[in-house]
Amino acid sequence: MPPRILLHFTPHGRPPPGVVSEFAAERGLPVVDATDAHDVLERVGRSYPAALVIDATPPLDAALAVCRALKDEAFTSVVPVIAYATGQGEGDDPAALSLEAGADEVLNHKLSERECALRLRMALRRAERDVSVHPTTLLPGTVQIERDIGRRLVTGEKFAVCYCDLDHFKEFNDRYGYNNGDRVILILSRILRDVVRAHSPTAFVGHIGGDDFIFNAPLDDFRKCCEEVISVFSELIDLHYTPEDRARGSFFGKDRRGEGYEVPLMTLSIGVVTNEHRSFVHTAQISELATEMKAYAKTFSGSIYVVDRRHGGESALAAATASDENAPGDHTQ
């Protein structure tokens, strides 16, 4: 994983304040300067910096636009944004405007260096405490996943919760080691983040832990997301095996009793729950069904996503609707 950075955005081309540079140096965070808003958004989406410090010196339009863009998107809202305001201009209050745009903290030239350093430290600490990102993938954890599902329930939108799980991951870890296992987890997180964001800008991707991920997407977007995630995963996963295992399509492993058996290469199972045919009043209902659908998906061979189409009054063993023959990998229960 690349080292984390402290990203400094200044549309005016100014260097970062001395207190910011010192704060970053003490924590071993390289400071990367950016003067282009598009470059900032690309870097944040690609690497999740430890924090973004923005130059909130008037004119403010570019700085505020970047702040809003980061905080309006689920993928990047976890990054703490600290605005540095050097003064006021033409009646505008840079500090207030920065906070309205979503900044997590505001520094200014009137604060002592000690207070600025304390505010920087607390902003990063709040982000680590409140967001609970996974240390390997830096994706939001279960708290943020539940919040996102809850928010979608409150708004009344039609959406899908897609529970993703790797098949035969433990056996891969046993054969190739946990470092390679972590690498696969990181690759899957990048696939989910990039593919889902490309097809559904308002979707949310979270990491439950281990090889379990969830993404929440509008009803109209989730199928394309699932299909593309499976397609990209299937292309890349073979590269993590030796040529011999790849050619054979499996490797020799041992079960808990020490008996040998052929272990297939990893595949991806996705269980999907939607509110298209039923209503939910609590996130726990969705979590339970998503877990059930994920387990059902794992009963199939190969990478697949399965969609729960049962209505609220039907039992877990209700008859399934017909599968969509035009969408390979999609089964409905």
Side-chain angles (χ1 to χ4, degrees), residues 222-287:
F222 84 88
R223 288 186 182 277
K224 183 62 178 176
C225 292
C226 288
E227 291 164 7
E228 189 70 10
V229 164
I230 287 175
S231 175
V232 175
F233 174 84
S234 299
E235 287 184 15
L236 296 181
I237 194 58
D238 286 3
L239 302 177
H240 295 273
Y241 290 87
T242 63
E244 295 77 17
D245 288 351
R246 192 160 60 239
R248 189 166 55 244
S250 64
F251 60 86
F252 188 77
K254 292 185 178 181
D255 61 21
R256 294 178 179 177
R257 294 174 294 181
E259 298 180 0
Y261 70 107
E262 286 291 320
V263 180
L265 303 189
M266 276 184 287
T267 53
L268 182 64
S269 295
I270 306 177
V272 183
V273 174
T274 80
N275 60 350
E276 182 178 15
H277 299 297
R278 69 170 86 193
S279 298
F280 299 101
V281 296
H282 196 277
T283 59
Q285 296 172 287
I286 298 176
S287 174

Side-chain angles (χ1 to χ4, degrees), residues 38-55:
H38 181 73
D39 183 34
V40 171
L41 299 177
E42 284 286 323
R43 285 181 178 273
V44 172
R46 188 169 62 244
S47 62
Y48 284 110
L52 170 66
V53 176
I54 59 173
D55 182 353

Side-chain angles (χ1 to χ4, degrees), residues 61-141:
D61 292 350
L64 297 181
V66 164
C67 186
R68 291 192 194 96
L70 260 61
K71 293 303 180 179
D72 285 346
E73 184 175 340
F75 293 98
T76 56
S77 63
V78 299
V79 176
V81 176
I82 297 102
Y84 187 85
T86 58
Q88 297 182 201
E90 300 183 3
D92 291 332
D93 182 348
L97 290 172
S98 298
L99 291 171
E100 288 175 354
D104 299 278
E105 184 58 89
V106 176
L107 310 179
N108 63 55
H109 64 289
K110 297 180 181 179
L111 301 174
S112 68
E113 290 190 2
R114 181 184 179 188
E115 184 172 351
C116 284
L118 287 170
R119 286 174 179 264
L120 283 166
R121 187 177 71 186
M122 293 306 297
L124 269 64
R125 184 177 294 176
R126 284 196 302 269
E128 293 172 355
R129 180 192 65 208
D130 296 342
V131 175
S132 303
V133 296
H134 191 277
T136 300
T137 63
L138 300 180
L139 288 175

Side-chain angles (χ1 to χ4, degrees), residues 135-202:
T136 300
T137 63
L138 300 180
L139 288 175
T142 54
V143 173
Q144 293 295 96
I145 292 170
E146 292 293 301
R147 286 179 184 172
D148 184 77
I149 295 174
R151 180 187 62 78
R152 294 175 192 272
L153 286 176
V154 169
T155 62
E157 71 171 281
K158 297 296 183 183
F159 67 99
V161 173
C162 307
Y163 192 159
C164 310
D165 183 31
L166 289 171
D167 307 310
H168 313 297
F169 176 72
K170 181 185 181 301
E171 295 95 326
F172 176 90
N173 251 359
D174 291 343
R175 176 170 172 78
Y176 287 90
Y178 64 85
N179 279 330
N180 285 314
D182 278 353
R183 190 171 293 114
V184 169
I185 294 296
L186 184 59
I187 290 295
L188 177 56
S189 75
R190 295 290 175 86
I191 292 172
L192 287 167
R193 191 186 69 189
D194 293 346
V195 168
V196 173
R197 176 164 48 185
H199 292 292
S200 185
T202 62

